[in-house]
Each structure stands twice: as structure tokens, then as C-alpha cells.
Amino acid sequence: RAVPFIAQTPLHCRPSSLAMVLQHIGRAVSAEALADAVFLPARGGTLQPEMLAGARRYDAFALTIAPKLEALLREVAAGHPVVVLQNLGLAVAPTWHYAVVVGYDLAREELVLRSGLEERQRMHWRTFEHTWARGGHWAFVALQPGELAVASDEVTTAQAAVAFERVAAPASAARVYDAMLARWPGNLVAAIGAGNTRVVGGDVDGAMRAFEAAAMRHDSAV
């Protein structure tokens, strides 16, 4: 599924980037609607936590990925557009910018980005790496609940799942924990979360099964 393109104004590249990845997973939300939720006028933009929180409010499982180009390429190959934070200026005079990586060309060593007014900006890996490094190599994906990032570790995923659970519908949070358990069967956070979300959602039998499975695997008060 193609990633939508929304032209970015200088101060609203953040909500535009977020709208693109949310629309990609089927969320009917505009950049204008997101601007009110994630734009901080006093800071002249949007901070990273607001980007993640904004995605989660629209039932998207948002989490950061490993700060490496190889990790970014793996996510794109898996069909996950990646929001990246770049500094297009200098360290002493930063120009902060969010873009969405949607493709790459291995032969040319180029990335394809939705950036600014360009629907398909092609940028060499070395140039991108410089701008991304000045942004702290920060990047995240926004996924359907039940889908996991391919380039995020167990601890980061668990932390993101707990943050998602705080705002998500119980069924959506349960799908995230179930996916975690399929990948990391021994994760206690996911085991307890799978039970708790079913309790909240009224699935008592499902909660019982989840807690019994956790109790058999872990020496835990659960």
C-alpha cells in the first residue's frame, strides 16, 4: 500500500509526517487535526514524545526503532514507513525536520523520502546519515495493533506496549501483547498485559487463560 503524500509547511512537517504514516495504516486523520494535538507553539514544533503519543491516540502502536541505517532499511522492506528526525542545519544552528522514509535503492545507495514539498525526495545514504545523526538517530514506526517492528528490541517494544495500553482500547492492547508473546514467549510484561487487558475488556475466560500461562512460566505474583 502506497504511503500518502502530504506537503509539509516549515512549522507543520511534524503533523504532516504523522498524518502520512497514520493514513498508511487506514486512520482517517488529517494533518490539520493532528496539528492541534501535537504542535507546541512555544517550542515552534513538536517534540518526539508528542509524536508517539499522537500516533497512539489514533489506535496505532508507535515505537522507536534501533538507531541504525540497517534497522531503518529493514522496516521499510517490511512495508513500514519510518518517521525520522533530521537536522538540516548545523549543530550550532539546527533546522529540525521530520520526514518519512518510504523506500530505498540499494544500487544507488539512496533513500526515498516524503519530505517538505517533495513526494519522492532521493537522498544518498551518506547525506542522510549526516542529517539523521544530528537529529540523534531518532526514528519511529506507527503500526496496526498486533504488528511489531522488525528492528526494535524486546525492552523497547515492552515499554511501548505499556504506553499504548494506557490510551488504547483493551482489544487493541491485547493484540499487541499477544504479538509480543508470539515473538518473546518469556516476556513477563506481555504475559501480565495479556491478562490485564482481557480483564478490562470483559473477557474473563481469556484473562484466566493468560494468567494461568503466565503463572506456569514465571515465578510471579500473577
Side-chain angles (χ1 to χ4, degrees), residues 11-33:
L11 287 181
H12 284 71
C13 65
R14 292 83 167 175
S16 297
S17 296
L18 185 53
M20 282 187 264
V21 295
L22 288 176
Q23 289 180 17
H24 175 68
I25 62 170
R27 305 298 184 263
V29 59
S30 67
E32 291 75 18

PDB file of all heavy atoms in Angstrom, residues 11-33:
ATOM      1  N   LEU A  11       6.730  24.773   9.616  1.00  0.00           N
ATOM      2  CA  LEU A  11       6.459  24.531  11.026  1.00  0.00           C
ATOM      3  C   LEU A  11       5.574  23.319  11.262  1.00  0.00           C
ATOM      4  O   LEU A  11       5.435  22.866  12.391  1.00  0.00           O
ATOM      5  CB  LEU A  11       5.814  25.768  11.667  1.00  0.00           C
ATOM      6  CG  LEU A  11       6.728  26.967  11.911  1.00  0.00           C
ATOM      7  CD1 LEU A  11       5.947  28.092  12.558  1.00  0.00           C
ATOM      8  CD2 LEU A  11       7.937  26.591  12.764  1.00  0.00           C
ATOM      9  N   HIS A  12       4.945  22.817  10.189  1.00  0.00           N
ATOM     10  CA  HIS A  12       4.000  21.716  10.372  1.00  0.00           C
ATOM     11  C   HIS A  12       4.449  20.441   9.676  1.00  0.00           C
ATOM     12  O   HIS A  12       3.631  19.621   9.278  1.00  0.00           O
ATOM     13  CB  HIS A  12       2.603  22.131   9.884  1.00  0.00           C
ATOM     14  CG  HIS A  12       1.887  23.046  10.826  1.00  0.00           C
ATOM     15  ND1 HIS A  12       2.270  24.339  11.015  1.00  0.00           N
ATOM     16  CD2 HIS A  12       0.840  22.840  11.672  1.00  0.00           C
ATOM     17  CE1 HIS A  12       1.479  24.909  11.911  1.00  0.00           C
ATOM     18  NE2 HIS A  12       0.614  24.022  12.331  1.00  0.00           N
ATOM     19  N   CYS A  13       5.769  20.248   9.552  1.00  0.00           N
ATOM     20  CA  CYS A  13       6.239  18.988   8.987  1.00  0.00           C
ATOM     21  C   CYS A  13       5.934  17.842   9.952  1.00  0.00           C
ATOM     22  O   CYS A  13       5.767  16.695   9.523  1.00  0.00           O
ATOM     23  CB  CYS A  13       7.732  19.048   8.678  1.00  0.00           C
ATOM     24  SG  CYS A  13       8.812  19.225  10.106  1.00  0.00           S
ATOM     25  N   ARG A  14       5.824  18.142  11.241  1.00  0.00           N
ATOM     26  CA  ARG A  14       5.585  17.089  12.230  1.00  0.00           C
ATOM     27  C   ARG A  14       4.196  16.476  12.069  1.00  0.00           C
ATOM     28  O   ARG A  14       4.088  15.263  11.849  1.00  0.00           O
ATOM     29  CB  ARG A  14       5.768  17.638  13.640  1.00  0.00           C
ATOM     30  CG  ARG A  14       7.194  18.011  14.016  1.00  0.00           C
ATOM     31  CD  ARG A  14       7.584  19.386  13.529  1.00  0.00           C
ATOM     32  NE  ARG A  14       8.838  19.844  14.145  1.00  0.00           N
ATOM     33  CZ  ARG A  14       9.439  20.987  13.805  1.00  0.00           C
ATOM     34  NH1 ARG A  14       8.924  21.763  12.882  1.00  0.00           N
ATOM     35  NH2 ARG A  14      10.554  21.351  14.410  1.00  0.00           N
ATOM     36  N   PRO A  15       3.127  17.275  12.168  1.00  0.00           N
ATOM     37  CA  PRO A  15       1.808  16.658  11.988  1.00  0.00           C
ATOM     38  C   PRO A  15       1.605  16.082  10.598  1.00  0.00           C
ATOM     39  O   PRO A  15       0.888  15.085  10.438  1.00  0.00           O
ATOM     40  CB  PRO A  15       0.829  17.802  12.281  1.00  0.00           C
ATOM     41  CG  PRO A  15       1.631  19.046  12.218  1.00  0.00           C
ATOM     42  CD  PRO A  15       3.017  18.689  12.589  1.00  0.00           C
ATOM     43  N   SER A  16       2.230  16.659   9.583  1.00  0.00           N
ATOM     44  CA  SER A  16       2.102  16.102   8.235  1.00  0.00           C
ATOM     45  C   SER A  16       2.757  14.734   8.156  1.00  0.00           C
ATOM     46  O   SER A  16       2.201  13.798   7.569  1.00  0.00           O
ATOM     47  CB  SER A  16       2.728  17.049   7.204  1.00  0.00           C
ATOM     48  OG  SER A  16       2.048  18.287   7.168  1.00  0.00           O
ATOM     49  N   SER A  17       3.946  14.588   8.739  1.00  0.00           N
ATOM     50  CA  SER A  17       4.621  13.292   8.743  1.00  0.00           C
ATOM     51  C   SER A  17       3.792  12.257   9.481  1.00  0.00           C
ATOM     52  O   SER A  17       3.640  11.116   9.027  1.00  0.00           O
ATOM     53  CB  SER A  17       5.999  13.414   9.401  1.00  0.00           C
ATOM     54  OG  SER A  17       6.846  14.257   8.660  1.00  0.00           O
ATOM     55  N   LEU A  18       3.250  12.662  10.622  1.00  0.00           N
ATOM     56  CA  LEU A  18       2.439  11.734  11.408  1.00  0.00           C
ATOM     57  C   LEU A  18       1.172  11.349  10.656  1.00  0.00           C
ATOM     58  O   LEU A  18       0.767  10.177  10.655  1.00  0.00           O
ATOM     59  CB  LEU A  18       2.096  12.374  12.752  1.00  0.00           C
ATOM     60  CG  LEU A  18       1.351  11.507  13.765  1.00  0.00           C
ATOM     61  CD1 LEU A  18       2.076  10.192  14.009  1.00  0.00           C
ATOM     62  CD2 LEU A  18       1.177  12.268  15.078  1.00  0.00           C
ATOM     63  N   ALA A  19       0.549  12.313   9.998  1.00  0.00           N
ATOM     64  CA  ALA A  19      -0.665  12.011   9.234  1.00  0.00           C
ATOM     65  C   ALA A  19      -0.376  11.020   8.114  1.00  0.00           C
ATOM     66  O   ALA A  19      -1.200  10.135   7.833  1.00  0.00           O
ATOM     67  CB  ALA A  19      -1.261  13.297   8.664  1.00  0.00           C
ATOM     68  N   MET A  20       0.774  11.135   7.477  1.00  0.00           N
ATOM     69  CA  MET A  20       1.105  10.223   6.375  1.00  0.00           C
ATOM     70  C   MET A  20       1.189   8.777   6.852  1.00  0.00           C
ATOM     71  O   MET A  20       0.645   7.870   6.217  1.00  0.00           O
ATOM     72  CB  MET A  20       2.416  10.657   5.704  1.00  0.00           C
ATOM     73  CG  MET A  20       2.268  11.836   4.773  1.00  0.00           C
ATOM     74  SD  MET A  20       3.778  12.201   3.831  1.00  0.00           S
ATOM     75  CE  MET A  20       4.539  13.483   4.842  1.00  0.00           C
ATOM     76  N   VAL A  21       1.875   8.547   7.973  1.00  0.00           N
ATOM     77  CA  VAL A  21       2.021   7.160   8.426  1.00  0.00           C
ATOM     78  C   VAL A  21       0.721   6.622   9.019  1.00  0.00           C
ATOM     79  O   VAL A  21       0.442   5.423   8.933  1.00  0.00           O
ATOM     80  CB  VAL A  21       3.196   7.005   9.416  1.00  0.00           C
ATOM     81  CG1 VAL A  21       4.518   7.300   8.717  1.00  0.00           C
ATOM     82  CG2 VAL A  21       3.036   7.882  10.653  1.00  0.00           C
ATOM     83  N   LEU A  22      -0.087   7.514   9.612  1.00  0.00           N
ATOM     84  CA  LEU A  22      -1.377   7.059  10.143  1.00  0.00           C
ATOM     85  C   LEU A  22      -2.356   6.740   9.017  1.00  0.00           C
ATOM     86  O   LEU A  22      -3.081   5.740   9.072  1.00  0.00           O
ATOM     87  CB  LEU A  22      -1.964   8.109  11.085  1.00  0.00           C
ATOM     88  CG  LEU A  22      -1.268   8.263  12.435  1.00  0.00           C
ATOM     89  CD1 LEU A  22      -1.893   9.399  13.229  1.00  0.00           C
ATOM     90  CD2 LEU A  22      -1.316   6.961  13.235  1.00  0.00           C
ATOM     91  N   GLN A  23      -2.380   7.569   8.004  1.00  0.00           N
ATOM     92  CA  GLN A  23      -3.240   7.277   6.862  1.00  0.00           C
ATOM     93  C   GLN A  23      -2.799   5.993   6.168  1.00  0.00           C
ATOM     94  O   GLN A  23      -3.627   5.251   5.642  1.00  0.00           O
ATOM     95  CB  GLN A  23      -3.236   8.440   5.880  1.00  0.00           C
ATOM     96  CG  GLN A  23      -3.968   9.672   6.383  1.00  0.00           C
ATOM     97  CD  GLN A  23      -3.960  10.817   5.383  1.00  0.00           C
ATOM     98  OE1 GLN A  23      -3.694  10.626   4.194  1.00  0.00           O
ATOM     99  NE2 GLN A  23      -4.254  12.019   5.847  1.00  0.00           N
ATOM    100  N   HIS A  24      -1.504   5.710   6.194  1.00  0.00           N
ATOM    101  CA  HIS A  24      -0.988   4.490   5.575  1.00  0.00           C
ATOM    102  C   HIS A  24      -1.591   3.238   6.202  1.00  0.00           C
ATOM    103  O   HIS A  24      -1.793   2.226   5.521  1.00  0.00           O
ATOM    104  CB  HIS A  24       0.541   4.457   5.704  1.00  0.00           C
ATOM    105  CG  HIS A  24       1.170   3.195   5.207  1.00  0.00           C
ATOM    106  ND1 HIS A  24       1.183   2.837   3.887  1.00  0.00           N
ATOM    107  CD2 HIS A  24       1.804   2.189   5.880  1.00  0.00           C
ATOM    108  CE1 HIS A  24       1.808   1.676   3.745  1.00  0.00           C
ATOM    109  NE2 HIS A  24       2.184   1.267   4.934  1.00  0.00           N
ATOM    110  N   ILE A  25      -1.886   3.297   7.503  1.00  0.00           N
ATOM    111  CA  ILE A  25      -2.482   2.130   8.164  1.00  0.00           C
ATOM    112  C   ILE A  25      -3.992   2.279   8.313  1.00  0.00           C
ATOM    113  O   ILE A  25      -4.623   1.579   9.110  1.00  0.00           O
ATOM    114  CB  ILE A  25      -1.824   1.847   9.537  1.00  0.00           C
ATOM    115  CG1 ILE A  25      -2.011   3.018  10.506  1.00  0.00           C
ATOM    116  CG2 ILE A  25      -0.351   1.495   9.364  1.00  0.00           C
ATOM    117  CD1 ILE A  25      -1.600   2.683  11.938  1.00  0.00           C
ATOM    118  N   GLY A  26      -4.553   3.213   7.555  1.00  0.00           N
ATOM    119  CA  GLY A  26      -6.002   3.303   7.485  1.00  0.00           C
ATOM    120  C   GLY A  26      -6.678   4.229   8.463  1.00  0.00           C
ATOM    121  O   GLY A  26      -7.910   4.180   8.616  1.00  0.00           O
ATOM    122  N   ARG A  27      -5.927   5.091   9.120  1.00  0.00           N
ATOM    123  CA  ARG A  27      -6.545   6.016  10.054  1.00  0.00           C
ATOM    124  C   ARG A  27      -6.974   7.284   9.312  1.00  0.00           C
ATOM    125  O   ARG A  27      -6.164   7.924   8.647  1.00  0.00           O
ATOM    126  CB  ARG A  27      -5.584   6.378  11.194  1.00  0.00           C
ATOM    127  CG  ARG A  27      -5.036   5.190  11.956  1.00  0.00           C
ATOM    128  CD  ARG A  27      -6.136   4.392  12.647  1.00  0.00           C
ATOM    129  NE  ARG A  27      -5.593   3.311  13.440  1.00  0.00           N
ATOM    130  CZ  ARG A  27      -5.492   2.045  13.023  1.00  0.00           C
ATOM    131  NH1 ARG A  27      -5.930   1.711  11.812  1.00  0.00           N
ATOM    132  NH2 ARG A  27      -4.988   1.110  13.796  1.00  0.00           N
ATOM    133  N   ALA A  28      -8.228   7.642   9.440  1.00  0.00           N
ATOM    134  CA  ALA A  28      -8.772   8.811   8.750  1.00  0.00           C
ATOM    135  C   ALA A  28      -8.502  10.059   9.585  1.00  0.00           C
ATOM    136  O   ALA A  28      -9.337  10.490  10.381  1.00  0.00           O
ATOM    137  CB  ALA A  28     -10.269   8.639   8.494  1.00  0.00           C
ATOM    138  N   VAL A  29      -7.321  10.617   9.421  1.00  0.00           N
ATOM    139  CA  VAL A  29      -6.933  11.795  10.197  1.00  0.00           C
ATOM    140  C   VAL A  29      -6.134  12.728   9.301  1.00  0.00           C
ATOM    141  O   VAL A  29      -5.332  12.280   8.478  1.00  0.00           O
ATOM    142  CB  VAL A  29      -6.118  11.382  11.448  1.00  0.00           C
ATOM    143  CG1 VAL A  29      -4.864  10.622  11.056  1.00  0.00           C
ATOM    144  CG2 VAL A  29      -5.768  12.597  12.284  1.00  0.00           C
ATOM    145  N   SER A  30      -6.368  14.011   9.449  1.00  0.00           N
ATOM    146  CA  SER A  30      -5.674  15.000   8.633  1.00  0.00           C
ATOM    147  C   SER A  30      -4.518  15.621   9.399  1.00  0.00           C
ATOM    148  O   SER A  30      -4.464  15.560  10.631  1.00  0.00           O
ATOM    149  CB  SER A  30      -6.648  16.108   8.215  1.00  0.00           C
ATOM    150  OG  SER A  30      -7.060  16.857   9.349  1.00  0.00           O
ATOM    151  N   ALA A  31      -3.624  16.232   8.654  1.00  0.00           N
ATOM    152  CA  ALA A  31      -2.511  16.947   9.293  1.00  0.00           C
ATOM    153  C   ALA A  31      -3.039  18.104  10.130  1.00  0.00           C
ATOM    154  O   ALA A  31      -2.490  18.422  11.190  1.00  0.00           O
ATOM    155  CB  ALA A  31      -1.538  17.449   8.231  1.00  0.00           C
ATOM    156  N   GLU A  32      -4.125  18.742   9.662  1.00  0.00           N
ATOM    157  CA  GLU A  32      -4.697  19.865  10.395  1.00  0.00           C
ATOM    158  C   GLU A  32      -5.219  19.419  11.758  1.00  0.00           C
ATOM    159  O   GLU A  32      -5.020  20.103  12.775  1.00  0.00           O
ATOM    160  CB  GLU A  32      -5.825  20.511   9.582  1.00  0.00           C
ATOM    161  CG  GLU A  32      -5.367  21.235   8.333  1.00  0.00           C
ATOM    162  CD  GLU A  32      -4.976  20.295   7.198  1.00  0.00           C
ATOM    163  OE1 GLU A  32      -5.382  19.107   7.245  1.00  0.00           O
ATOM    164  OE2 GLU A  32      -4.246  20.736   6.297  1.00  0.00           O
ATOM    165  N   ALA A  33      -5.870  18.263  11.789  1.00  0.00           N
ATOM    166  CA  ALA A  33      -6.384  17.751  13.063  1.00  0.00           C
ATOM    167  C   ALA A  33      -5.248  17.407  14.004  1.00  0.00           C
ATOM    168  O   ALA A  33      -5.322  17.655  15.208  1.00  0.00           O
ATOM    169  CB  ALA A  33      -7.262  16.529  12.817  1.00  0.00           C
TER     170      ALA A  33
END
